[in-house]
Structures are given as structure tokens and as C-alpha cells.
Amino acid sequence: MANMSTAKRVLPALVLIALAVMTVMLMTTPSDPRLEARSPARSARASPEAASLTASVGFAYSPRLSRAPTADRSQSKLWFHDRSWWGVLNEAPAASFGIYRLEQATLEWMATGVLVDDRPEARADVLWSGTHLYAVSGGRTSTAAEHVRLMRYSYDADSQTYGLDGGFPLALTETGVRSLSIAYDSASRLWVSYILGGEIWVRHSDDQGTTWAEPMQLEGVDAGAVIHTILAYGSSTAILWNDEMAGAVYFTSHNSADAADVWTDSVAVVQDAFLTDDHISARSLEGPNGAAIYVMIKTSRDLLADVPDDPQMLLLELQPGGEWVGHVYGRVRDRLTKPLLLIDEERRQLHLFAVAPFGRGSVYYKTTSADAIDLSAGRGTPFLATRDRGITLPTSTKQNLTAESGLVILASDEVTGHYVHASLALPRPLPDG
């Protein structure tokens, strides 16, 4: 690919970040919540913020699915539009995925009858651009049946539903891929990226997804990528990926004013043995000094000798000036996994979620100012749980949140085969002065 350098640089400020945080003392890890699983539309208290937080167990998804319907780890299944939350969900006994609307009065996900993908192994990453809904969906195997499809939908405010636009779906690959992701930048360019054979491939469209440039292979990946994400920030687009072979998290960016194949040299944000894993969640936030990026990653420190104080989950921050700063979110003793990051844009707060213990369990969260990150020790506050503690893979929206939208996360309960979700009201920011 023209103009793409193969050079990689390491940012020394975060190399061996684990060694820099070994002296931080841990607080006692809170115990798991004891929420009883309930029938759909019945709420349950899940944290001290009971006045603003509701949690519900939803309907069953198809037992034909070989993995949780809220997979994959870096994807988003929800969006907010027209005063409602929407999602791409699967409902038993069908193995297909469709668009659902969250009915706030009953806390139920209601089917709209709009199909997204009829393939049980396909998983979609969805994005609301402000004018269209985009869903990019595909499986993970090398078969043609699991190839990547792009769907574009238009919203009808009168009927409060979505309709598939003419000419869609479009096939973007010939086979299934790993770590499928979508983004929409400040120049109205649509991006789709994915991992194939350990390499990252990128495609773009300048006409709202109608036509697509040929796939471009991102250089400098070295066939070691296991998970990645693509996101827009300011006037740029970023790709971050975990390379388990190199033990590093890499970053590259594209300026929207440049040709589509011009990307910066890839930079190792963190690099050290067992400092990466196949978990990543990233969001961006505009500020008075420019755009910042926030990234949650899980390390593999638990695979070393069991050192409870080693960092297990990190929050990485790309400040507007270009400096990367690392923060410890949780340690090996906390057994945190499957991170999810959301941003309250109006109050400039980060809402950070993770599942504990490893595999499946309950969802915990922490909240901090985006401008002065301060993370408490331990797992955090219980957010979402069921009696069987089978929750895994929380997901939400790519959009930043407001008081109007509130906050909603959706997860899978692998013990019961049901969806679970929780919502949190977000206060309006205080008036200036």
C-alpha cells in the first residue's frame, strides 16, 4: 500500500508499565453482587445508585449459536437515536439477527421485524452516523458462507423503524474474518477493518457505503494481530491492535485530509512480556485542546507466576498533545476481563466496565473524570449480575453519551442462554457559574 511505512517505534513512557505500578497498594476487592435473575421487564437493584440504575434479564437467544451473541470483544451492538435505544439481537428459536428497540416503560427489547443477518455464526459491528445506520457483519471461518456483508439502513421517524437501503447488503470479503470493526470519520468517510491471517486489512467508502475501494493491507503488523479496533477522533482515524507475538499494543492514525492510504508509522503504546491479550475497547472525546483517545486493554499477567499485584487491566490515554499515559484499572487479584469503555460527553466522564472473574461472572464498573483520571483499586462497583453469575461480553454503543441518552449495556448470560441489560441515568451537567 502506497505511502504506508513499515517502521515501528516504541514509546518509552509506557514500556514495562507493569514495573512502574508494582508499589501501588490494593484495596480489598468487593464481593460479587447477589441479584436474582428475573423475568423480562422486571428490574432489580444492582448498585448503590439504585435510584438511577435498573437491571433486567431479557429473552433467550438461540441455542444454535456456538458463541455468545454479544461477541466479538471490540464490537458494538447498540445505538441511540430518536430518544430510544436500539440493538442488533438474536431471539430464540431463530438463529438470525435483527433490529430491536428497547421499550423503556417495560425494560423489554421489542422486535422491529428488520433483518440484519440470517447466519447464526455472523456477528455485527453497528454504527449510527447521524443519517444512516451501518451494520458490518460476518463470521470467523475461512468459508465463503461467512463472508463480510455491509448493510445500510435509513430511519423513518413516522413509523419509528429502519428500512434497508437499495443496493444493500454488499459483500466486502470473500471469506469470514476476525475482529471486524467499522468507523465513520469527520470527512464522512466510512471505514471497515478486519484481521485476516494475523494481518489487518482496511477498506473505505467515500459515498456512504455505496462503493468501496479495494482492500488495503496495513503495513507493520507482522502477522501477529489478534484483536483490533478502528475509531474516528478529531480530524483523524485511528487503528489500535494487540499483537500477542510481540507483546505489544500498537497504534497508527490517518489524517482525514490525506489520501486514504497514508497512515502514520505504527507505534507500540505498551510493550512487555504478557502485557497484551485479545481484549480491547476504545473511545474518543473532543476537548478544548483537541481530541483524546481512551483505550482499555487486558493483559496476560495472570499467565505468569501468580503475582496478585501485577496489572491485569490497563486504561491507556492518548492526550491531545500526542503523549500516551497509562493507568492501572485492575490487578491480577481482581480477575477482570472483557473491558467496555463508554464516555459521558456532557460531563466529560469515563464509564469503565469489566467482567469478573475470568470467563464469566458479574459486570463491575468505575467512573472517573476524563480530564483527571483517578481509578480506585479493586473490581469497582457491581453493575449487572444474575444469581448464576454467567454474564459475559458486555457491549454498548460507539456513540458518546448524554443525559438524554443515558447509558445502556447489553450482555449475554451463558448459563441461562438469556440476554441481560442494565441502564443508568446520567445527570445533566451543572450550568456554568
Side-chain angles (χ1 to χ4, degrees):
M1 180 167 51
N3 298 321
M4 291 195 57
S5 172
T6 59
K8 286 183 179 177
R9 294 183 293 112
V10 177
L11 293 181
L14 284 182
V15 176
L16 302 177
I17 188 173
L19 301 179
V21 296
M22 295 293 284
T23 59
V24 179
M25 299 299 296
L26 287 175
M27 296 172 58
T28 301
T29 302
S31 61
D32 287 343
R34 298 285 181 175
L35 283 184
E36 178 181 358
R38 299 170 185 262
S39 59
R42 296 186 62 187
S43 63
R45 292 188 175 185
S47 86
E49 300 182 9
S52 57
L53 175 66
T54 57
S56 296
V57 176
F59 53 73
Y61 49 83
S62 173
R64 293 174 54 190
L65 307 183
S66 66
R67 54 194 174 118
T70 50
D72 282 333
R73 290 177 173 90
S74 63
Q75 292 182 345
S76 299
K77 310 297 182 185
L78 308 184
W79 68 98
F80 182 81
H81 176 59
D82 194 17
R83 302 182 301 279
S84 293
W85 278 87
W86 308 81
V88 173
L89 282 74
N90 167 276
E91 187 170 5
S96 59
F97 292 81
I99 294 177
Y100 284 69
R101 179 177 179 269
L102 181 60
E103 178 57 57
Q104 290 292 347
T106 62
L107 302 178
E108 289 185 282
W109 289 99
M110 308 300 293
T112 66
V114 179
L115 178 69
V116 172
D117 205 318
D118 60 358
R119 299 172 295 175
E121 296 309 310
R123 297 294 180 270
D125 195 24
V126 298
L127 177 151
W128 172 251
S129 72
T131 55
H132 292 96
L133 171 68
Y134 295 96
V136 59
S137 181
R140 299 189 299 178
T141 72
S142 59
T143 65
E146 294 191 1
H147 69 273
V148 174
R149 298 173 183 169
L150 176 82
M151 283 67 66
R152 190 185 76 190
Y153 301 86
S154 294
Y155 182 72
D156 187 305
D158 293 332
S159 61
Q160 292 187 315
T161 191
Y162 293 84
L164 185 66
D165 290 345
F168 293 88
L170 294 176
L172 297 186
T173 67
E174 296 180 352
T175 67
V177 299
R178 297 184 68 89
S179 190
L180 182 60
S181 188
I182 189 170
Y184 189 80
D185 71 15
S186 61
S188 300
R189 175 172 284 167
L190 190 64
W191 298 90
V192 169
S193 55
Y194 51 88
I195 295 176
L196 189 61
E199 301 283 356
I200 297 177
W201 293 80
V202 184
R203 299 194 71 172
H204 74 276
S205 170
D206 290 320
D207 57 4
Q208 310 298 309
T210 302
T211 59
W212 288 81
E214 290 299 310
M216 304 184 302
Q217 184 177 344
L218 196 66
E219 296 187 7
V221 180
D222 298 337
V226 292
I227 193 169
H228 89 297
T229 189
I230 187 168
L231 74 158
Y233 74 106
S235 59
S236 299
T237 301
I239 296 177
L240 294 113
W241 69 97
N242 288 0
D243 186 324
E244 287 187 327
M245 294 174 60
V249 175
Y250 289 105
F251 167 86
T252 182
S253 65
H254 162 79
N255 189 303
S256 299
D258 293 336
D261 62 352
V262 178
W263 292 72
T264 62
D265 293 347
S266 57
V267 171
V269 181
V270 291
Q271 186 167 18
D272 190 17
F274 294 91
L275 204 53
T276 62
D277 205 334
D278 59 341
H279 302 255
I280 191 168
S281 182
R283 299 292 186 271
S284 65
L285 179 64
E286 291 285 346
N289 299 317
I293 293 178
Y294 303 91
V295 188
M296 289 181 73
I297 65 166
K298 175 183 176 291
T299 76
S300 296
R301 287 286 174 174
D302 55 291
L303 300 181
L304 296 171
D306 195 359
V307 181
D309 286 349
D310 270 6
Q312 186 71 72
M313 191 166 288
L314 304 176
L315 172 64
L316 310 177
E317 174 190 8
L318 176 59
Q319 299 177 335
E323 180 184 3
W324 282 98
V325 179
H327 311 269
V328 176
Y329 181 84
R331 300 182 183 278
V332 168
R333 71 170 68 225
D334 301 318
R335 297 295 193 258
L336 292 166
T337 186
K338 300 176 176 62
L340 173 65
L341 169 62
L342 297 171
I343 298 179
D344 180 340
E345 186 174 83
E346 293 175 331
R347 297 198 300 161
R348 299 187 61 79
Q349 287 189 326
L350 307 182
H351 295 271
L352 306 106
F353 302 84
V355 173
F358 295 150
R360 59 194 184 197
S362 306
V363 177
Y364 298 82
Y365 81 112
K366 300 178 184 181
T367 299
T368 181
S369 166
D371 302 311
I373 292 176
D374 183 13
L375 297 171
S376 60
R379 289 179 173 177
T381 301
F383 186 82
L384 178 59
T386 51
R387 183 177 295 277
D388 54 69
R389 299 180 187 175
I391 294 176
T392 188
L393 293 167
T395 186
S396 189
T397 178
K398 296 181 183 296
Q399 300 159 284
N400 285 346
L401 308 171
T402 64
E404 179 186 17
S405 70
L407 182 156
V408 174
I409 69 168
L410 177 72
S412 305
D413 187 325
E414 291 188 316
V415 173
T416 65
H418 282 69
Y419 281 106
V420 290
H421 66 272
S423 61
L424 178 66
L426 300 177
R428 295 190 181 278
L430 296 174
D432 294 337

